[in-house]
Amino acid sequence: VVVRNSDRISFENVKVFSQTRLAFDNAVQDEAGGAAVRPQFFTSYTVNKGASAPVASKVPAALFAPEAKVEQLATGFSNATGLTADGAGQVFFTDAVNHLIYHWNETSRKAEKWAEIPGGQPMVLGFVPPSSLLAVSYEKYIYSLSTTAAGEAQPVDETAAPVPQTKLMLPVGLHNELTVMHDMLEHRGYTYIATSNTATSSVIPDEHRGYFYAPGTLTAIMAGGTGRPILQSSQMAAFAPGETHYLTSEDDGRTYLATVDSNWKLTTKVFAERGGTSVVSDAAGNVYLASGQILIFDKSGKQIGVLEVPERPGSLAFGGPDKRTLYIGARSSLYAIHTQAAGQ
């Protein structure tokens, strides 16, 4: 909402939701004074004529390197998201509308075009050691590409059933609610009414699933059917049975600790009553959540800071040779800031 030439305009109990990721920067913005509400959920806000935008908060000194600030590295993207980093700290991200996958070259300080998906929209990436990326397109195709040299993305063939010792690459930065994760893992789908991907007309109790392995590895993406929640995710992580990762849901407004068992059943425990689109942690136990701004929590789930970003952040990854750079994918730009502790 843009407020213009108005005074005492009150908004109550607001939820902004879109069928797509990152559809907006601010929920409400006063055109004259610049005051704005970034969160997509809020209970009350009144726009008063003449109110100015608040002064930006300081970077939390204890969490970031001395004199650190959010730096814009590159811009001009339709949406820089799907961030992932390889074992050497190289960062890769997607720009779906332009069909491109990018690599941030720290030496040249440029975002390099790494691969193109002709006619396809790469949504999210996952790194698979030692040197592979798995990419998911909006058209429900899975591609593999190398982290060592730019080149053509190769479609991945489907395997009907998982092989022993499989690790599953699962979405952990959800645009949708957590229930769609259970639907995917439990092979449950839905038939949607025309023009909607939320209103359902029937349940598909045994929806098809297949496994798409990174070449020469035991790490796979499980996909099939409607494709939810992978197609709207902003971050992925590889789960071995019994392994736990942070998982956040923008629509739920919650962040969880998520574990899968040997039968790929998902269990979760609420970590924080705030949700977003991407979540990462550092070696000191701090947790960074892309949620309007970047919210920072300690290992107990207590919020300990906020890092403000000029645009709505959608995807996060720790990278750099020492893993002490937090990379931030946002609406049109890639940002970074140096941290005290290395990312995990």
Side-chain angles (χ1 to χ4, degrees):
V1 177
V2 176
V3 179
R4 179 183 296 125
N5 298 325
S6 302
D7 192 16
R8 293 176 294 173
I9 305 298
S10 293
F11 297 87
E12 306 289 342
N13 300 317
V14 171
K15 175 181 178 179
V16 181
F17 180 77
S18 168
Q19 302 286 16
T20 59
R21 305 175 304 184
L22 281 176
F24 64 99
D25 277 328
N26 298 307
V28 179
Q29 182 165 0
D30 179 46
E31 188 175 63
V37 175
R38 180 70 65 85
Q40 68 270 38
F41 305 149
F42 60 92
T43 56
S44 180
Y45 179 65
T46 300
V47 180
N48 293 311
K49 190 173 184 179
S52 59
V55 176
S57 62
K58 294 182 178 179
V59 171
L63 299 168
F64 296 93
E67 309 300 324
K69 62 180 181 179
V70 175
E71 177 188 4
Q72 185 187 66
L73 301 178
T75 192
F77 311 108
S78 69
N79 181 11
T81 188
L83 270 68
T84 193
D86 70 5
Q90 296 186 101
V91 169
F92 302 83
F93 61 96
T94 67
D95 187 359
V97 170
N98 291 313
H99 316 291
L100 292 171
I101 295 169
Y102 282 91
H103 163 248
W104 172 250
N105 188 321
E106 183 62 30
T107 302
S108 65
R109 304 290 291 174
K110 291 181 179 179
E112 301 174 334
K113 295 178 182 179
W114 198 251
E116 183 174 2
I117 310 294
Q121 299 180 75
M123 301 297 286
V124 64
L125 302 172
F127 170 64
V128 182
S131 58
S132 294
L133 295 175
L134 287 176
V136 182
S137 79
Y138 190 72
E139 295 73 26
K140 302 183 183 179
Y141 294 107
I142 314 295
Y143 297 87
S144 70
L145 54 154
S146 171
T147 62
T148 59
E152 188 174 344
Q154 300 296 323
V156 179
D157 292 331
E158 179 179 333
T159 300
V163 301
Q165 299 182 313
T166 288
K167 294 182 75 171
L168 277 190
M169 184 73 70
L170 297 174
V172 293
L174 304 181
H175 175 63
N176 305 109
E177 56 195 16
L178 180 64
T179 57
V180 299
M181 284 285 290
H182 293 287
D183 291 340
M184 180 182 72
L185 290 168
E186 295 168 16
H187 294 226
R188 183 170 52 250
Y190 300 91
T191 302
Y192 298 101
I193 65 171
T195 73
S196 175
N197 65 357
T198 55
T200 62
S201 59
S202 63
V203 177
I204 305 170
D206 192 21
E207 192 177 53
H208 173 74
R209 297 289 182 268
Y211 298 82
F212 299 81
Y213 286 86
T217 78
L218 295 174
T219 299
I221 290 176
M222 184 176 75
T226 63
R228 297 177 75 194
I230 301 172
L231 300 184
Q232 292 290 358
S233 63
S234 298
Q235 180 188 2
M236 303 191 80
F239 285 76
E243 200 167 49
T244 298
H245 291 278
Y246 290 103
L247 181 154
T248 190
S249 164
E250 181 184 22
D251 200 22
D252 280 347
R254 281 179 170 172
T255 298
Y256 306 89
L257 286 165
T259 307
V260 293
D261 65 17
S262 58
N263 296 314
W264 304 123
K265 182 178 180 181
L266 177 71
T267 58
T268 57
K269 177 183 178 182
V270 175
F271 170 75
E273 293 287 349
R274 298 294 295 270
T277 54
S278 185
V279 58
V280 295
S281 60
D282 66 23
N286 302 305
V287 178
Y288 304 75
L289 175 65
S291 180
Q293 303 289 357
I294 296 176
L295 311 182
I296 308 168
F297 301 83
D298 66 16
K299 60 185 177 182
S300 72
K302 177 184 176 182
Q303 187 173 332
I304 56 175
V306 177
L307 179 68
E308 295 190 5
V309 183
E311 303 172 80
R312 177 179 291 276
S315 187
L316 307 174
F318 273 101
D322 60 1
K323 304 292 180 67
R324 281 186 164 84
T325 301
L326 178 63
Y327 289 88
I328 305 160
R331 293 269 290 160
S332 68
S333 304
L334 180 70
Y335 297 89
I337 186 171
H338 298 296
T339 58
Q340 293 276 17
Q344 291 185 316

